[in-house]
Amino acid sequence: MRLLNRHHIRSELNKYGVKPRKKLGQSFLANVQVAQRIVDAAEIAAEDTVLEIGGGLGVLTEILVSRAKRVYVVEIDERLVAALREKLGDVGGLSVIHGDFLEMNLPDVKKVVSNLPFSASSPITFRILRELKPESSILMYQKEFAERMVAERGSKEYSRLTVAVNYIAEVEPLFEVPSHFFYPKPAVNSLVVRMTPRKGGIRARSDRVFYWMLRGVYSYPKKQLRRALQIWLKNLNVDRRLADDILDSVEHVDGKMRLRNLSVEELVRLSDHITDLIEEGVIPHPKDARI
Ligand code: SAH
């Protein structure tokens, strides 16, 4: 793209009849240097295959196709699909896919690069991690969201998202992008991160039980673990006094700890004990495995 600033993005959007929609997380990057930095961070080799989620007007796509062997770009908004096809349709090695990343059949790719639609950051992140499983991803998030992904144990940002992501991935913050580099200008800055699958980390006997337990107890992040377990058990129609038995059985996990102080390892041990109790018929089987 020869010229790229917010004014230019606005006129391109007008040209293709696109009125930016919050519901689709449409916030377009309007700075070439930032686009280049994002793609540089992906360290793309000439034989790489790459998926871009949410191509928009193709600011990142254009750079990606000049570096990778094959680029798949998925875009949900048909007017932007038309824009991508008109602007980049003839470029070799590029497949423009009209669809929803959360529903599509996933291509086999080594890397993911995306200025993520903030409206669907969480489900998209977990689909990348659990189903697509690329070697590495360079992803731009709203800063607050990314800060929860990289939060230190004990901090107020340390949450269910922190644990669920760190259970399966390593996340490294790379650089911040000010909100005035986007059109429309979002309320907050963005943060670019590198995400890679965690190798050799501790895993629960059942991923399903682990995520289910997280959803159950982390609804109450400020609470002490004992209290959060009691509430969860009660919601499951199990005698809440079982919480104390559970805490007695799991070593080095203290009911007085606040949830934000629990490590992934401690939660895995807790989850493995819950799995025992499910097998013994004391706790019902998980109905819900969403994250
Ligand atoms: N990559 C562009 C656009 C980023 S805005 C840029 O950096 O400027 C996010 C884009 O994701 C929008 O184009 C939006 O239409 C698209 N999008 C939103 N939800 C999507 C989904 N579920 N699947 C695929 N694309 C999606």
Side-chain angles (χ1 to χ4, degrees):
M1 215 166 282
R2 268 160 310 173
L3 188 66
L4 188 60
N5 55 40
R6 302 179 68 237
H7 176 76
H8 177 70
I9 295 282
R10 195 175 57 183
S11 57
E12 286 262 296
L13 291 172
N14 274 339
K15 178 176 158 196
Y16 293 103
V18 180
K19 267 187 116 198
R21 288 169 61 189
K22 273 206 172 132
K23 202 166 161 255
L24 293 179
Q26 291 179 337
S27 187
F28 300 88
L29 184 59
N31 184 284
V32 162
Q33 282 78 27
V34 173
Q36 245 142 15
R37 263 184 101 183
I38 291 172
V39 178
D40 285 349
E43 297 174 339
I44 293 168
E47 68 276 8
D48 282 351
T49 48
V50 180
L51 172 68
E52 185 193 351
I53 300 161
L57 291 166
V59 172
L60 293 169
T61 327
E62 186 175 354
I63 310 174
L64 288 169
V65 287
S66 70
R67 304 203 186 161
K69 180 168 143 215
R70 168 123 234 119
V71 176
Y72 299 91
V73 57
V74 56
E75 173 53 61
I76 202 166
D77 185 330
E78 62 184 337
R79 296 160 306 174
L80 291 167
V81 171
L84 285 166
R85 292 206 167 116
E86 189 182 307
K87 289 156 71 113
L88 299 167
D90 298 336
V91 178
L94 176 67
S95 305
V96 180
I97 302 161
H98 180 203
D100 180 342
F101 171 72
L102 296 173
E103 307 283 336
M104 74 187 291
N105 293 327
L106 295 173
D108 181 18
V109 294
K110 196 163 170 188
K111 288 175 178 165
V112 172
V113 174
S114 176
N115 168 14
L116 286 173
F118 56 84
S119 48
S121 297
S122 193
I124 291 178
T125 301
F126 286 105
R127 188 157 203 230
I128 295 172
L129 285 172
R130 299 169 94 190
E131 297 176 53
L132 188 62
K133 299 181 179 153
E135 235 175 67
S136 70
S137 308
I138 301 297
L139 304 168
M140 181 151 63
Y141 291 93
Q142 286 200 331
K143 194 180 163 203
E144 278 70 9
F145 188 93
E147 280 176 344
R148 282 198 284 139
M149 292 173 60
V150 301
E152 295 289 337
R153 187 144 60 101
S155 68
K156 75 176 192 316
E157 290 80 19
Y158 191 84
S159 56
R160 176 156 55 92
L161 176 74
T162 322
V163 177
V165 168
N166 283 276
Y167 178 57
I168 44 179
E170 290 180 33
V171 186
E172 179 195 347
L174 296 179
F175 55 91
E176 196 169 330
V177 183
S179 59
H180 64 257
F181 284 156
F182 297 88
Y183 181 86
K185 183 170 173 261
V188 296
N189 291 353
S190 291
L191 193 70
V192 178
V193 308
R194 173 180 290 115
M195 202 167 73
T196 47
R198 184 174 290 286
K199 292 195 187 82
I202 181 169
R203 289 299 281 258
R205 269 171 51 217
S206 161
D207 282 353
R208 191 178 161 85
V209 170
F210 181 75
Y211 290 123
W212 180 64
M213 182 197 79
L214 279 190
R215 183 165 271 281
V217 296
Y218 259 101
S219 314
Y220 318 98
K222 281 188 203 139
K223 289 219 169 358
Q224 293 186 345
L225 176 60
R226 171 178 289 104
R227 189 73 194 115
L229 271 175
Q230 286 171 342
I231 296 171
W232 181 48
L233 292 168
K234 187 161 176 270
N235 289 342
L236 295 174
N237 289 323
V238 175
D239 187 340
R240 62 191 208 130
R241 282 172 296 184
L242 183 63
D244 286 323
D245 295 350
I246 294 173
L247 291 165
D248 285 344
S249 312
V250 183
E251 274 180 33
H252 310 301
V253 174
D254 180 345
K256 288 205 191 68
M257 290 172 88
R258 302 212 178 264
L259 283 161
R260 65 166 65 124
N261 288 312
L262 286 168
S263 67
V264 174
E265 289 74 11
E266 287 160 343
L267 287 158
V268 164
R269 271 191 274 123
L270 192 62
S271 150
D272 284 350
H273 186 62
I274 302 284
T275 304
D276 290 341
L277 295 174
I278 291 169
E279 284 164 0
E280 290 164 20
V282 179
I283 289 181
H285 281 273
K287 283 199 204 84
D288 172 3
R290 283 177 307 140
I291 297 190

